[in-house]
Amino acid sequence: MFTTTTPARIDPPMRRLIDTVTPGGQARYLPVRPTPDATVNGCFSNVRAKVARDGGRRLCGWQLWEWPGVLVEAEFHAVWLSPGDEMVEITPKPHGEDRILFVPDERRDYQGEVVDNVRIALHDDQLVQHFIRVSRAIVQVQARNGQPAGPGQVRVPAEQIAPLRQAQHFLGYAIDARLREHDPCPCGSGVRYRQCHGHELELALA
Ligand SMILES: [Zn+2]
């Protein structure tokens, strides 16, 4: 999503995120070694195929992301645990990252449900808060519409999701352009975001 990438280090906000999803969890960097048939959004099916071929088992946990200066994010994820107990990331990355930061979470297993990402804002700004709330709303609409075929393959009526996706993109590009809530709204009205689209979105999300 936008400019999220593998965090360069485990700083205090990242530590707080790790403790939110798996208290006391031990995060570690894993090199990305994709299997030839693996797909970007298909970690669970990638690992299922790998286990069927080579043994070992699935290990669920959280892949950790950072949008530098904006937010940190945890995504429910699976890696392959080899028969020799080595954690291996076999799922390719959308932006070609060659390593991931991963924290195992043995309390959780994947049952085909929609699991939302957990996000923590790095500064208090309405644009970032709205981005996080809109992203959560998208997953809630998806979850209301029944079980997905797999992550990234959710079937939802387009008219329910499209306005939320539009808002998410609008906010994402505004944040990438370093706009803050007191700047003129990106729509070009000349009014501050808070009083313009920020106000509209606040009503829509309520
Ligand atoms: Zn506006």
Side-chain angles (χ1 to χ4, degrees), residues 38-64:
T39 59
V40 167
N41 288 318
C43 65
F44 298 102
S45 51
N46 296 341
V47 170
R48 190 182 313 120
K50 181 71 173 167
V51 169
R53 226 170 21 241
D54 297 326
R57 69 177 177 89
R58 178 172 72 190
L59 180 62
C60 288
W62 301 84
Q63 183 175 348
L64 302 160

PDB file of all heavy atoms in Angstrom, residues 38-64:
ATOM      1  N   ALA A  38       4.831 -19.255  -6.457  1.00  0.00           N
ATOM      2  CA  ALA A  38       4.207 -18.457  -5.382  1.00  0.00           C
ATOM      3  C   ALA A  38       3.669 -17.143  -5.927  1.00  0.00           C
ATOM      4  O   ALA A  38       4.242 -16.547  -6.833  1.00  0.00           O
ATOM      5  CB  ALA A  38       5.230 -18.192  -4.278  1.00  0.00           C
ATOM      6  N   THR A  39       2.534 -16.683  -5.342  1.00  0.00           N
ATOM      7  CA  THR A  39       1.947 -15.398  -5.755  1.00  0.00           C
ATOM      8  C   THR A  39       2.043 -14.390  -4.605  1.00  0.00           C
ATOM      9  O   THR A  39       2.090 -14.772  -3.433  1.00  0.00           O
ATOM     10  CB  THR A  39       0.461 -15.569  -6.140  1.00  0.00           C
ATOM     11  OG1 THR A  39      -0.244 -16.082  -5.007  1.00  0.00           O
ATOM     12  CG2 THR A  39       0.316 -16.529  -7.303  1.00  0.00           C
ATOM     13  N   VAL A  40       2.035 -13.104  -4.975  1.00  0.00           N
ATOM     14  CA  VAL A  40       2.283 -12.026  -4.015  1.00  0.00           C
ATOM     15  C   VAL A  40       1.273 -12.033  -2.869  1.00  0.00           C
ATOM     16  O   VAL A  40       1.632 -11.882  -1.709  1.00  0.00           O
ATOM     17  CB  VAL A  40       2.276 -10.661  -4.749  1.00  0.00           C
ATOM     18  CG1 VAL A  40       2.213  -9.504  -3.752  1.00  0.00           C
ATOM     19  CG2 VAL A  40       3.519 -10.521  -5.620  1.00  0.00           C
ATOM     20  N   ASN A  41      -0.014 -12.208  -3.192  1.00  0.00           N
ATOM     21  CA  ASN A  41      -1.043 -12.124  -2.149  1.00  0.00           C
ATOM     22  C   ASN A  41      -1.466 -13.493  -1.626  1.00  0.00           C
ATOM     23  O   ASN A  41      -2.466 -13.594  -0.924  1.00  0.00           O
ATOM     24  CB  ASN A  41      -2.270 -11.381  -2.681  1.00  0.00           C
ATOM     25  CG  ASN A  41      -1.996  -9.899  -2.837  1.00  0.00           C
ATOM     26  OD1 ASN A  41      -1.371  -9.280  -1.978  1.00  0.00           O
ATOM     27  ND2 ASN A  41      -2.415  -9.333  -3.948  1.00  0.00           N
ATOM     28  N   GLY A  42      -0.716 -14.534  -1.967  1.00  0.00           N
ATOM     29  CA  GLY A  42      -1.188 -15.882  -1.659  1.00  0.00           C
ATOM     30  C   GLY A  42      -0.362 -16.625  -0.638  1.00  0.00           C
ATOM     31  O   GLY A  42      -0.128 -17.824  -0.800  1.00  0.00           O
ATOM     32  N   CYS A  43       0.047 -15.959   0.453  1.00  0.00           N
ATOM     33  CA  CYS A  43       0.976 -16.627   1.382  1.00  0.00           C
ATOM     34  C   CYS A  43       0.422 -17.952   1.894  1.00  0.00           C
ATOM     35  O   CYS A  43       1.159 -18.930   1.984  1.00  0.00           O
ATOM     36  CB  CYS A  43       1.382 -15.706   2.526  1.00  0.00           C
ATOM     37  SG  CYS A  43       0.064 -15.219   3.653  1.00  0.00           S
ATOM     38  N   PHE A  44      -0.896 -17.988   2.204  1.00  0.00           N
ATOM     39  CA  PHE A  44      -1.437 -19.217   2.794  1.00  0.00           C
ATOM     40  C   PHE A  44      -1.447 -20.366   1.783  1.00  0.00           C
ATOM     41  O   PHE A  44      -1.072 -21.494   2.104  1.00  0.00           O
ATOM     42  CB  PHE A  44      -2.829 -18.952   3.375  1.00  0.00           C
ATOM     43  CG  PHE A  44      -2.788 -17.929   4.478  1.00  0.00           C
ATOM     44  CD1 PHE A  44      -3.167 -16.620   4.249  1.00  0.00           C
ATOM     45  CD2 PHE A  44      -2.306 -18.269   5.736  1.00  0.00           C
ATOM     46  CE1 PHE A  44      -3.096 -15.668   5.262  1.00  0.00           C
ATOM     47  CE2 PHE A  44      -2.218 -17.323   6.756  1.00  0.00           C
ATOM     48  CZ  PHE A  44      -2.619 -16.006   6.510  1.00  0.00           C
ATOM     49  N   SER A  45      -1.849 -20.084   0.546  1.00  0.00           N
ATOM     50  CA  SER A  45      -1.821 -21.158  -0.455  1.00  0.00           C
ATOM     51  C   SER A  45      -0.385 -21.471  -0.891  1.00  0.00           C
ATOM     52  O   SER A  45      -0.069 -22.627  -1.190  1.00  0.00           O
ATOM     53  CB  SER A  45      -2.711 -20.812  -1.653  1.00  0.00           C
ATOM     54  OG  SER A  45      -2.412 -19.535  -2.136  1.00  0.00           O
ATOM     55  N   ASN A  46       0.481 -20.472  -0.927  1.00  0.00           N
ATOM     56  CA  ASN A  46       1.887 -20.740  -1.234  1.00  0.00           C
ATOM     57  C   ASN A  46       2.480 -21.747  -0.247  1.00  0.00           C
ATOM     58  O   ASN A  46       3.148 -22.709  -0.635  1.00  0.00           O
ATOM     59  CB  ASN A  46       2.727 -19.456  -1.151  1.00  0.00           C
ATOM     60  CG  ASN A  46       2.325 -18.415  -2.180  1.00  0.00           C
ATOM     61  OD1 ASN A  46       1.675 -18.725  -3.171  1.00  0.00           O
ATOM     62  ND2 ASN A  46       2.716 -17.170  -1.936  1.00  0.00           N
ATOM     63  N   VAL A  47       2.204 -21.496   1.049  1.00  0.00           N
ATOM     64  CA  VAL A  47       2.781 -22.364   2.081  1.00  0.00           C
ATOM     65  C   VAL A  47       2.130 -23.747   2.028  1.00  0.00           C
ATOM     66  O   VAL A  47       2.806 -24.768   2.204  1.00  0.00           O
ATOM     67  CB  VAL A  47       2.636 -21.710   3.478  1.00  0.00           C
ATOM     68  CG1 VAL A  47       3.012 -22.695   4.584  1.00  0.00           C
ATOM     69  CG2 VAL A  47       3.497 -20.447   3.568  1.00  0.00           C
ATOM     70  N   ARG A  48       0.813 -23.788   1.736  1.00  0.00           N
ATOM     71  CA  ARG A  48       0.139 -25.096   1.638  1.00  0.00           C
ATOM     72  C   ARG A  48       0.806 -25.946   0.549  1.00  0.00           C
ATOM     73  O   ARG A  48       1.098 -27.126   0.754  1.00  0.00           O
ATOM     74  CB  ARG A  48      -1.351 -24.911   1.343  1.00  0.00           C
ATOM     75  CG  ARG A  48      -2.150 -26.191   1.461  1.00  0.00           C
ATOM     76  CD  ARG A  48      -3.635 -26.012   1.106  1.00  0.00           C
ATOM     77  NE  ARG A  48      -4.203 -24.836   1.750  1.00  0.00           N
ATOM     78  CZ  ARG A  48      -4.746 -23.803   1.093  1.00  0.00           C
ATOM     79  NH1 ARG A  48      -4.812 -23.807  -0.231  1.00  0.00           N
ATOM     80  NH2 ARG A  48      -5.240 -22.778   1.750  1.00  0.00           N
ATOM     81  N   ALA A  49       1.071 -25.329  -0.602  1.00  0.00           N
ATOM     82  CA  ALA A  49       1.697 -26.062  -1.712  1.00  0.00           C
ATOM     83  C   ALA A  49       3.111 -26.511  -1.333  1.00  0.00           C
ATOM     84  O   ALA A  49       3.539 -27.623  -1.660  1.00  0.00           O
ATOM     85  CB  ALA A  49       1.724 -25.176  -2.960  1.00  0.00           C
ATOM     86  N   LYS A  50       3.827 -25.643  -0.648  1.00  0.00           N
ATOM     87  CA  LYS A  50       5.205 -25.960  -0.246  1.00  0.00           C
ATOM     88  C   LYS A  50       5.232 -27.134   0.725  1.00  0.00           C
ATOM     89  O   LYS A  50       6.059 -28.056   0.606  1.00  0.00           O
ATOM     90  CB  LYS A  50       5.841 -24.713   0.393  1.00  0.00           C
ATOM     91  CG  LYS A  50       7.272 -24.871   0.829  1.00  0.00           C
ATOM     92  CD  LYS A  50       8.227 -24.961  -0.343  1.00  0.00           C
ATOM     93  CE  LYS A  50       9.680 -24.953   0.151  1.00  0.00           C
ATOM     94  NZ  LYS A  50      10.598 -25.349  -0.959  1.00  0.00           N
ATOM     95  N   VAL A  51       4.308 -27.138   1.694  1.00  0.00           N
ATOM     96  CA  VAL A  51       4.249 -28.221   2.684  1.00  0.00           C
ATOM     97  C   VAL A  51       3.908 -29.540   1.985  1.00  0.00           C
ATOM     98  O   VAL A  51       4.478 -30.590   2.297  1.00  0.00           O
ATOM     99  CB  VAL A  51       3.225 -27.887   3.791  1.00  0.00           C
ATOM    100  CG1 VAL A  51       2.946 -29.097   4.679  1.00  0.00           C
ATOM    101  CG2 VAL A  51       3.722 -26.705   4.632  1.00  0.00           C
ATOM    102  N   ALA A  52       2.974 -29.482   1.014  1.00  0.00           N
ATOM    103  CA  ALA A  52       2.590 -30.693   0.293  1.00  0.00           C
ATOM    104  C   ALA A  52       3.798 -31.265  -0.461  1.00  0.00           C
ATOM    105  O   ALA A  52       3.953 -32.478  -0.585  1.00  0.00           O
ATOM    106  CB  ALA A  52       1.448 -30.386  -0.678  1.00  0.00           C
ATOM    107  N   ARG A  53       4.650 -30.399  -0.965  1.00  0.00           N
ATOM    108  CA  ARG A  53       5.805 -30.830  -1.759  1.00  0.00           C
ATOM    109  C   ARG A  53       6.990 -31.267  -0.899  1.00  0.00           C
ATOM    110  O   ARG A  53       7.618 -32.280  -1.142  1.00  0.00           O
ATOM    111  CB  ARG A  53       6.247 -29.663  -2.649  1.00  0.00           C
ATOM    112  CG  ARG A  53       6.517 -30.032  -4.072  1.00  0.00           C
ATOM    113  CD  ARG A  53       6.732 -28.846  -5.008  1.00  0.00           C
ATOM    114  NE  ARG A  53       7.106 -27.598  -4.398  1.00  0.00           N
ATOM    115  CZ  ARG A  53       6.375 -26.478  -4.489  1.00  0.00           C
ATOM    116  NH1 ARG A  53       5.234 -26.483  -5.152  1.00  0.00           N
ATOM    117  NH2 ARG A  53       6.802 -25.370  -3.935  1.00  0.00           N
ATOM    118  N   ASP A  54       7.287 -30.476   0.135  1.00  0.00           N
ATOM    119  CA  ASP A  54       8.566 -30.639   0.841  1.00  0.00           C
ATOM    120  C   ASP A  54       8.444 -30.899   2.333  1.00  0.00           C
ATOM    121  O   ASP A  54       9.454 -30.901   3.044  1.00  0.00           O
ATOM    122  CB  ASP A  54       9.432 -29.380   0.627  1.00  0.00           C
ATOM    123  CG  ASP A  54       9.787 -29.166  -0.842  1.00  0.00           C
ATOM    124  OD1 ASP A  54       9.971 -30.172  -1.549  1.00  0.00           O
ATOM    125  OD2 ASP A  54       9.851 -27.997  -1.273  1.00  0.00           O
ATOM    126  N   GLY A  55       7.209 -31.089   2.837  1.00  0.00           N
ATOM    127  CA  GLY A  55       7.050 -31.319   4.271  1.00  0.00           C
ATOM    128  C   GLY A  55       7.144 -30.021   5.057  1.00  0.00           C
ATOM    129  O   GLY A  55       6.920 -28.943   4.527  1.00  0.00           O
ATOM    130  N   GLY A  56       7.520 -30.165   6.325  1.00  0.00           N
ATOM    131  CA  GLY A  56       7.523 -28.993   7.192  1.00  0.00           C
ATOM    132  C   GLY A  56       6.106 -28.598   7.541  1.00  0.00           C
ATOM    133  O   GLY A  56       5.173 -29.390   7.396  1.00  0.00           O
ATOM    134  N   ARG A  57       5.898 -27.365   7.966  1.00  0.00           N
ATOM    135  CA  ARG A  57       4.549 -26.936   8.302  1.00  0.00           C
ATOM    136  C   ARG A  57       4.408 -25.425   8.150  1.00  0.00           C
ATOM    137  O   ARG A  57       5.383 -24.711   7.955  1.00  0.00           O
ATOM    138  CB  ARG A  57       4.156 -27.373   9.713  1.00  0.00           C
ATOM    139  CG  ARG A  57       4.918 -26.658  10.816  1.00  0.00           C
ATOM    140  CD  ARG A  57       4.399 -27.123  12.185  1.00  0.00           C
ATOM    141  NE  ARG A  57       5.123 -26.523  13.273  1.00  0.00           N
ATOM    142  CZ  ARG A  57       4.788 -25.353  13.854  1.00  0.00           C
ATOM    143  NH1 ARG A  57       3.736 -24.678  13.417  1.00  0.00           N
ATOM    144  NH2 ARG A  57       5.497 -24.862  14.855  1.00  0.00           N
ATOM    145  N   ARG A  58       3.138 -24.994   8.267  1.00  0.00           N
ATOM    146  CA  ARG A  58       2.833 -23.572   8.174  1.00  0.00           C
ATOM    147  C   ARG A  58       3.063 -22.902   9.531  1.00  0.00           C
ATOM    148  O   ARG A  58       2.694 -23.455  10.563  1.00  0.00           O
ATOM    149  CB  ARG A  58       1.368 -23.403   7.769  1.00  0.00           C
ATOM    150  CG  ARG A  58       0.937 -21.957   7.699  1.00  0.00           C
ATOM    151  CD  ARG A  58      -0.438 -21.827   7.109  1.00  0.00           C
ATOM    152  NE  ARG A  58      -1.472 -22.287   8.036  1.00  0.00           N
ATOM    153  CZ  ARG A  58      -2.749 -22.460   7.679  1.00  0.00           C
ATOM    154  NH1 ARG A  58      -3.126 -22.259   6.439  1.00  0.00           N
ATOM    155  NH2 ARG A  58      -3.636 -22.882   8.560  1.00  0.00           N
ATOM    156  N   LEU A  59       3.653 -21.718   9.497  1.00  0.00           N
ATOM    157  CA  LEU A  59       3.805 -20.919  10.708  1.00  0.00           C
ATOM    158  C   LEU A  59       3.125 -19.571  10.475  1.00  0.00           C
ATOM    159  O   LEU A  59       3.526 -18.809   9.601  1.00  0.00           O
ATOM    160  CB  LEU A  59       5.284 -20.722  11.046  1.00  0.00           C
ATOM    161  CG  LEU A  59       5.581 -19.890  12.295  1.00  0.00           C
ATOM    162  CD1 LEU A  59       5.013 -20.548  13.556  1.00  0.00           C
ATOM    163  CD2 LEU A  59       7.091 -19.683  12.449  1.00  0.00           C
ATOM    164  N   CYS A  60       2.058 -19.306  11.256  1.00  0.00           N
ATOM    165  CA  CYS A  60       1.357 -18.033  11.127  1.00  0.00           C
ATOM    166  C   CYS A  60       1.982 -16.979  12.024  1.00  0.00           C
ATOM    167  O   CYS A  60       2.641 -17.285  13.016  1.00  0.00           O
ATOM    168  CB  CYS A  60      -0.119 -18.198  11.489  1.00  0.00           C
ATOM    169  SG  CYS A  60      -1.047 -19.106  10.243  1.00  0.00           S
ATOM    170  N   GLY A  61       1.775 -15.752  11.667  1.00  0.00           N
ATOM    171  CA  GLY A  61       2.299 -14.638  12.453  1.00  0.00           C
ATOM    172  C   GLY A  61       1.971 -13.335  11.751  1.00  0.00           C
ATOM    173  O   GLY A  61       0.980 -13.244  11.018  1.00  0.00           O
ATOM    174  N   TRP A  62       2.812 -12.342  11.944  1.00  0.00           N
ATOM    175  CA  TRP A  62       2.556 -11.010  11.410  1.00  0.00           C
ATOM    176  C   TRP A  62       3.768 -10.508  10.648  1.00  0.00           C
ATOM    177  O   TRP A  62       4.883 -10.501  11.173  1.00  0.00           O
ATOM    178  CB  TRP A  62       2.217 -10.042  12.544  1.00  0.00           C
ATOM    179  CG  TRP A  62       1.025 -10.472  13.333  1.00  0.00           C
ATOM    180  CD1 TRP A  62       1.010 -11.361  14.386  1.00  0.00           C
ATOM    181  CD2 TRP A  62      -0.335 -10.088  13.115  1.00  0.00           C
ATOM    182  NE1 TRP A  62      -0.278 -11.534  14.835  1.00  0.00           N
ATOM    183  CE2 TRP A  62      -1.124 -10.759  14.081  1.00  0.00           C
ATOM    184  CE3 TRP A  62      -0.973  -9.224  12.216  1.00  0.00           C
ATOM    185  CZ2 TRP A  62      -2.510 -10.604  14.162  1.00  0.00           C
ATOM    186  CZ3 TRP A  62      -2.351  -9.068  12.303  1.00  0.00           C
ATOM    187  CH2 TRP A  62      -3.099  -9.751  13.264  1.00  0.00           C
ATOM    188  N   GLN A  63       3.515 -10.092   9.422  1.00  0.00           N
ATOM    189  CA  GLN A  63       4.541  -9.410   8.650  1.00  0.00           C
ATOM    190  C   GLN A  63       4.439  -7.926   8.980  1.00  0.00           C
ATOM    191  O   GLN A  63       3.361  -7.343   8.950  1.00  0.00           O
ATOM    192  CB  GLN A  63       4.325  -9.668   7.159  1.00  0.00           C
ATOM    193  CG  GLN A  63       5.395  -9.041   6.293  1.00  0.00           C
ATOM    194  CD  GLN A  63       5.231  -9.397   4.827  1.00  0.00           C
ATOM    195  OE1 GLN A  63       4.453 -10.283   4.471  1.00  0.00           O
ATOM    196  NE2 GLN A  63       5.972  -8.714   3.982  1.00  0.00           N
ATOM    197  N   LEU A  64       5.572  -7.318   9.285  1.00  0.00           N
ATOM    198  CA  LEU A  64       5.584  -5.936   9.784  1.00  0.00           C
ATOM    199  C   LEU A  64       6.053  -4.992   8.691  1.00  0.00           C
ATOM    200  O   LEU A  64       7.032  -5.268   7.991  1.00  0.00           O
ATOM    201  CB  LEU A  64       6.504  -5.864  11.011  1.00  0.00           C
ATOM    202  CG  LEU A  64       6.048  -6.823  12.127  1.00  0.00           C
ATOM    203  CD1 LEU A  64       7.177  -7.112  13.102  1.00  0.00           C
ATOM    204  CD2 LEU A  64       4.826  -6.281  12.850  1.00  0.00           C
TER     205      LEU A  64
END
